[in-house]
Amino acid sequence: MTDQANSAVSGPGSAIRVLLADDEEMVRHGVRLILRHAEGIEVVGEAANGAEAVRRAAEDRPDVVLLDVRMPVLDGLAAVEPLVALDPAPQVVMLTTFGDEENVLRALRAGATGFLLKDEGPQELIRAVRAAAAGDAVLSPGVTGTVVRRMLSGGAPRVPDRRVAGLTDREREVLVMLGEGLSNLEIGTRLGIGVGTVKTHVGSILGKTGCGSRVQAALLAHQAGLMG
């Protein structure tokens, strides 16, 4: 699977490129209006179904895709894997009306960066786009921990230690902090290193372990017995 951590914003000073995918035109319109007034964010395309979202993402190369869960032709859950398989891969944030646990877990397992309820306020939407573009999971630490625990309690198989055997000591430290749900900034502060260095470590972890997102890496940290 393509390493999502390599999906970086185009460069210093460039706008975060966002693709909106929702079958409700009113929802797309509302999200577009909110993001239009956010500094450093640009809506580069829209899609009314999952298949169109994949096609537009391949053409428009967004940094972040805001993807509705339920859409015609190809729903959002089915669109996650082909989206994160693109090169470069966008960060995928699921939009949902309800915090449907089953759908959330399916999306995260497929490689989505996180999920956002449609009734969240404008500032939360903007924060989520910026966090996703920075490579952070769009889940609070508490929610991340809850999601990981539920994934494990749902019968997720044990992952052999060989998946983490190739990590350096520092990468293992970072992986444990991903398991705690820490952001890149929080990890950098704890380790006394820059956010850019943290991103490099996260990208290396995802590449070496085959995880498609930092949430999947957090799950791996728990499954591999690294959480104490």
Side-chain angles (χ1 to χ4, degrees):
M1 185 177 291
T2 302
D3 179 356
Q4 285 193 1
N6 289 332
S7 174
V9 181
S10 302
S14 3
I16 298 168
R17 298 168 57 82
V18 178
L19 173 69
L20 308 178
D22 196 298
D23 62 327
E24 295 185 36
E25 185 176 356
M26 287 293 291
V27 171
R28 298 199 307 273
H29 178 72
V31 172
R32 185 171 65 251
L33 284 180
I34 291 171
L35 297 182
R36 178 180 294 171
H37 297 289
E39 183 178 356
I41 298 176
E42 176 188 4
V43 176
V44 296
E46 298 183 20
N49 60 67
E52 185 180 3
V54 175
R55 179 180 61 79
R56 290 299 302 269
E59 295 173 355
D60 298 333
R61 295 176 175 265
D63 301 302
V64 178
V65 176
L66 296 177
L67 186 66
D68 188 22
V69 171
R70 295 183 175 89
M71 291 185 290
V73 184
L74 185 71
D75 69 22
L77 294 172
V80 175
E81 287 195 11
L83 281 169
V84 301
L86 293 174
D87 186 15
Q91 302 286 355
V92 178
V93 178
M94 307 304 297
L95 292 174
T96 178
T97 305
F98 304 103
D100 184 324
E101 183 178 310
E102 181 181 352
N103 285 338
V104 168
L105 297 185
R106 283 181 59 195
L108 295 179
R109 287 190 181 110
T113 299
F115 72 96
L116 188 67
L117 296 177
K118 287 184 179 179
D119 60 2
E120 295 281 4
Q123 291 307 311
E124 180 62 21
L125 173 63
I126 294 168
R127 185 203 67 79
V129 168
R130 288 177 174 153
D136 286 334
V138 185
L139 296 167
S140 69
V143 172
T144 299
T146 299
V147 167
V148 169
R149 285 193 295 273
R150 288 178 180 172
M151 290 174 82
L152 291 171
S153 66
R158 292 283 301 178
V159 177
D161 288 347
R162 61 181 174 79
R163 289 193 64 191
V164 299
L167 300 180
T168 65
D169 290 342
R170 177 46 61 89
E171 288 167 351
R172 282 175 176 256
E173 286 184 287
V174 173
L175 179 58
V176 168
M177 293 178 196
L178 292 177
E180 295 174 3
L182 300 186
S183 69
N184 287 343
L185 179 59
E186 290 167 330
I187 293 172
T189 299
R190 183 179 292 187
L191 295 178
I193 59 179
V195 171
T197 302
V198 175
K199 289 181 180 179
T200 298
H201 287 315
V202 172
S204 180
I205 290 166
L206 299 187
K208 288 180 178 180
T209 62
C211 293
S213 72
R214 60 194 293 129
V215 178
Q216 289 184 351
L219 175 61
L220 174 61
H222 286 259
Q223 290 178 313
L226 301 183
M227 304 303 297

